[in-house]
Amino acid sequence: MSLAQTETYFIDDLIITTIDSQSSMCVSGGIHAIVITGAIGPDSTFATEKLLSQRKPCTSTNGEIVVPIKVNLESAGGYLKDGYKLGRLFRAQGVRTVIEDNKLCASSCAVAFLGGTERLVGSKGSILFHAPYKELMEAEGRTKISCELPKELLKLLNKYYQDMTDIDVGD
Protein backbone atom coordinates (compact mmCIF):
# COMPACT_ATOMS: atom_id res chain seq x y z
CA MET A 1 0.00 0.00 0.00
CA SER A 2 1.36 3.40 -0.94
CA LEU A 3 1.05 6.60 1.03
CA ALA A 4 -2.43 8.04 1.12
CA GLN A 5 -3.21 11.38 -0.49
CA THR A 6 -5.83 13.48 1.25
CA GLU A 7 -7.76 16.55 0.18
CA THR A 8 -10.41 18.47 2.09
CA TYR A 9 -13.31 20.42 0.60
CA PHE A 10 -15.67 22.85 2.36
CA ILE A 11 -19.17 22.98 0.86
CA ASP A 12 -21.73 25.05 2.77
CA ASP A 13 -21.84 23.46 6.25
CA LEU A 14 -20.26 20.24 5.00
CA ILE A 15 -16.64 19.12 5.13
CA ILE A 16 -15.64 16.37 2.71
CA THR A 17 -12.22 14.75 2.97
CA THR A 18 -10.96 12.31 0.36
CA ILE A 19 -8.32 9.71 1.18
CA ASP A 20 -6.84 7.92 -1.84
CA SER A 21 -4.13 5.28 -2.04
CA GLN A 22 -2.93 2.52 -4.33
CA SER A 23 -2.54 -1.14 -3.48
CA SER A 24 -0.83 -4.07 -5.20
CA MET A 25 -4.08 -6.04 -4.84
CA CYS A 26 -5.77 -3.62 -7.26
CA VAL A 27 -5.34 -4.38 -10.94
CA SER A 28 -7.19 -1.13 -11.61
CA GLY A 29 -8.64 1.56 -9.39
CA GLY A 30 -7.46 2.13 -5.86
CA ILE A 31 -8.41 2.25 -2.21
CA HIS A 32 -10.64 5.28 -1.66
CA ALA A 33 -12.45 6.73 1.33
CA ILE A 34 -14.62 9.82 1.42
CA VAL A 35 -15.37 11.28 4.84
CA ILE A 36 -18.51 13.43 5.02
CA THR A 37 -18.91 15.58 8.13
CA GLY A 38 -21.52 18.24 8.84
CA ALA A 39 -24.96 19.28 7.65
CA ILE A 40 -26.45 17.52 4.62
CA GLY A 41 -27.91 20.08 2.25
CA PRO A 42 -28.66 20.88 -1.39
CA ASP A 43 -25.01 20.81 -2.54
CA SER A 44 -24.04 17.60 -0.70
CA THR A 45 -25.03 15.18 -3.45
CA PHE A 46 -23.57 17.29 -6.25
CA ALA A 47 -20.19 17.56 -4.51
CA THR A 48 -20.11 13.89 -3.47
CA GLU A 49 -21.09 12.73 -6.96
CA LYS A 50 -18.28 14.80 -8.46
CA LEU A 51 -15.74 13.26 -6.07
CA LEU A 52 -17.05 9.71 -6.59
CA SER A 53 -16.88 10.09 -10.38
CA GLN A 54 -13.16 10.88 -10.08
CA ARG A 55 -12.46 7.58 -8.30
CA LYS A 56 -12.60 3.95 -9.38
CA PRO A 57 -12.86 1.14 -6.83
CA CYS A 58 -10.10 -1.46 -6.48
CA THR A 59 -10.77 -4.29 -8.95
CA SER A 60 -9.20 -7.70 -9.61
CA THR A 61 -7.97 -9.17 -12.89
CA ASN A 62 -11.48 -10.36 -13.77
CA GLY A 63 -12.96 -6.90 -13.08
CA GLU A 64 -14.60 -7.77 -9.77
CA ILE A 65 -14.57 -5.09 -7.11
CA VAL A 66 -12.15 -6.16 -4.40
CA VAL A 67 -12.51 -3.05 -2.22
CA PRO A 68 -15.51 -0.76 -2.79
CA ILE A 69 -15.25 2.97 -2.26
CA LYS A 70 -15.95 3.69 1.40
CA VAL A 71 -17.97 6.69 2.59
CA ASN A 72 -17.67 7.53 6.27
CA LEU A 73 -20.57 9.57 7.61
CA GLU A 74 -20.67 11.87 10.63
CA SER A 75 -23.59 14.29 10.69
CA ALA A 76 -26.43 15.43 12.89
CA GLY A 77 -28.54 15.57 9.72
CA GLY A 78 -29.91 18.16 7.38
CA TYR A 79 -32.66 18.15 4.80
CA LEU A 80 -34.55 14.88 4.29
CA LYS A 81 -34.79 15.21 0.49
CA ASP A 82 -31.01 15.67 0.32
CA GLY A 83 -30.56 12.55 2.44
CA TYR A 84 -32.65 10.65 -0.13
CA LYS A 85 -30.52 11.99 -3.00
CA LEU A 86 -27.27 11.14 -1.27
CA GLY A 87 -28.47 7.64 -0.38
CA ARG A 88 -29.57 6.97 -3.96
CA LEU A 89 -26.17 8.16 -5.19
CA PHE A 90 -24.44 5.75 -2.78
CA ARG A 91 -26.58 2.89 -4.03
CA ALA A 92 -25.97 3.74 -7.71
CA GLN A 93 -22.20 3.96 -7.12
CA GLY A 94 -22.05 0.75 -5.06
CA VAL A 95 -20.30 2.38 -2.11
CA ARG A 96 -19.84 1.01 1.39
CA THR A 97 -21.28 3.40 4.01
CA VAL A 98 -19.63 3.45 7.42
CA ILE A 99 -20.27 5.04 10.80
CA GLU A 100 -17.04 4.79 12.76
CA ASP A 101 -16.71 4.28 16.51
CA ASN A 102 -17.70 7.33 18.55
CA LYS A 103 -19.33 8.98 15.51
CA LEU A 104 -23.01 9.92 15.10
CA CYS A 105 -25.09 9.74 11.93
CA ALA A 106 -28.57 11.13 12.57
CA SER A 107 -31.67 12.20 10.71
CA SER A 108 -31.02 12.72 6.97
CA CYS A 109 -27.53 11.25 7.47
CA ALA A 110 -29.13 7.98 8.65
CA VAL A 111 -31.39 8.10 5.58
CA ALA A 112 -28.34 8.54 3.31
CA PHE A 113 -26.48 5.76 5.17
CA LEU A 114 -29.12 3.25 4.05
CA GLY A 115 -28.02 3.77 0.44
CA GLY A 116 -24.75 1.90 0.96
CA THR A 117 -24.59 -1.49 -0.72
CA GLU A 118 -22.68 -2.54 2.40
CA ARG A 119 -23.50 -0.72 5.63
CA LEU A 120 -21.25 -0.87 8.67
CA VAL A 121 -21.68 0.74 12.09
CA GLY A 122 -18.75 0.55 14.50
CA SER A 123 -19.52 -1.12 17.83
CA LYS A 124 -19.43 2.35 19.43
CA GLY A 125 -20.94 4.22 16.48
CA SER A 126 -24.45 5.69 16.68
CA ILE A 127 -27.21 5.93 14.10
CA LEU A 128 -30.39 7.86 14.85
CA PHE A 129 -33.66 7.76 12.91
CA HIS A 130 -36.62 9.96 13.82
CA ALA A 131 -39.97 10.96 12.42
CA PRO A 132 -39.82 13.61 9.73
CA TYR A 133 -40.96 17.06 10.79
CA LYS A 134 -41.30 20.60 9.57
CA GLU A 135 -40.61 23.83 11.35
CA LEU A 136 -43.42 26.37 11.54
CA MET A 137 -43.18 30.00 12.55
CA GLU A 138 -45.65 31.08 15.19
CA ALA A 139 -47.16 34.58 15.22
CA GLU A 140 -44.87 35.52 18.14
CA GLY A 141 -41.80 34.70 16.01
CA ARG A 142 -41.01 31.42 17.80
CA THR A 143 -40.36 28.22 15.91
CA LYS A 144 -42.71 25.31 16.38
CA ILE A 145 -42.05 21.73 15.29
CA SER A 146 -44.82 19.76 13.61
CA CYS A 147 -44.78 16.07 12.76
CA GLU A 148 -48.09 16.40 10.93
CA LEU A 149 -47.02 15.84 7.34
CA PRO A 150 -48.99 15.08 4.20
CA LYS A 151 -49.47 11.36 3.60
CA GLU A 152 -47.64 11.72 0.26
CA LEU A 153 -44.42 12.70 2.05
CA LEU A 154 -44.73 9.79 4.46
CA LYS A 155 -45.33 7.44 1.53
CA LEU A 156 -42.15 8.74 -0.11
CA LEU A 157 -40.20 8.02 3.06
CA ASN A 158 -41.67 4.54 3.32
CA LYS A 159 -40.88 3.84 -0.36
CA TYR A 160 -37.29 5.01 0.12
CA TYR A 161 -36.87 2.73 3.17
CA GLN A 162 -38.30 -0.20 1.18
CA ASP A 163 -36.00 0.53 -1.80
CA MET A 164 -32.92 0.65 0.43
CA THR A 165 -33.81 -2.35 2.60
CA ASP A 166 -36.78 -4.51 1.63
CA ILE A 167 -40.55 -4.29 1.86
CA ASP A 168 -40.85 -5.79 5.35
CA VAL A 169 -37.97 -3.85 6.91
CA GLY A 170 -38.98 -0.65 5.09
CA ASP A 171 -42.43 -0.78 6.60
Side-chain angles (χ1 to χ4, degrees):
M1 180 100 61
S2 65
L3 290 175
Q5 295 179 343
T6 64
E7 288 190 60
T8 301
Y9 305 87
F10 300 89
I11 298 105
D12 300 326
D13 294 325
L14 199 67
I15 301 169
I16 301 177
T17 302
T18 58
I19 306 162
D20 303 306
S21 61
Q22 297 299 314
S23 171
S24 59
M25 73 173 146
C26 305
V27 172
S28 68
I31 309 293
H32 305 288
I34 297 175
V35 181
I36 298 175
T37 308
I40 295 171
D43 296 328
S44 303
T45 302
F46 174 80
T48 304
E49 184 172 28
K50 182 98 171 142
L51 294 170
L52 283 171
S53 72
Q54 297 169 353
R55 288 156 178 80
K56 301 295 175 223
C58 175
T59 58
S60 64
T61 52
N62 62 0
E64 286 185 37
I65 295 176
V66 178
V67 181
I69 296 173
K70 177 174 80 164
V71 176
N72 290 17
L73 297 164
E74 180 183 3
S75 171
Y79 295 110
L80 182 59
K81 68 178 181 175
D82 297 311
Y84 290 154
K85 289 179 187 175
L86 202 52
R88 286 191 175 100
L89 172 66
F90 295 157
R91 182 60 53 98
Q93 296 290 324
V95 303
R96 172 187 293 156
T97 51
V98 178
I99 303 168
E100 302 261 339
D101 284 342
N102 303 312
K103 303 295 182 193
L104 168 71
C105 180
S107 191
S108 64
C109 178
V111 169
F113 171 82
L114 291 177
T117 53
E118 289 181 64
R119 300 178 292 260
L120 304 169
V121 179
S123 61
K124 295 181 181 175
S126 299
I127 188 165
L128 172 69
F129 292 90
H130 64 79
Y133 65 88
K134 62 182 173 183
E135 290 183 3
L136 304 171
M137 186 64 71
E138 292 184 327
E140 301 83 30
R142 291 188 313 244
T143 333
K144 176 181 164 185
I145 303 269
S146 172
C147 292
E148 297 295 321
L149 296 173
K151 288 188 187 228
E152 300 78 43
L153 289 178
L154 297 175
K155 284 181 184 179
L156 282 175
L157 180 61
N158 187 258
K159 171 91 170 91
Y160 178 83
Y161 284 163
Q162 289 176 353
D163 290 348
M164 296 301 138
T165 57
D166 64 35
I167 289 177
D168 293 332
V169 172
D171 275 343

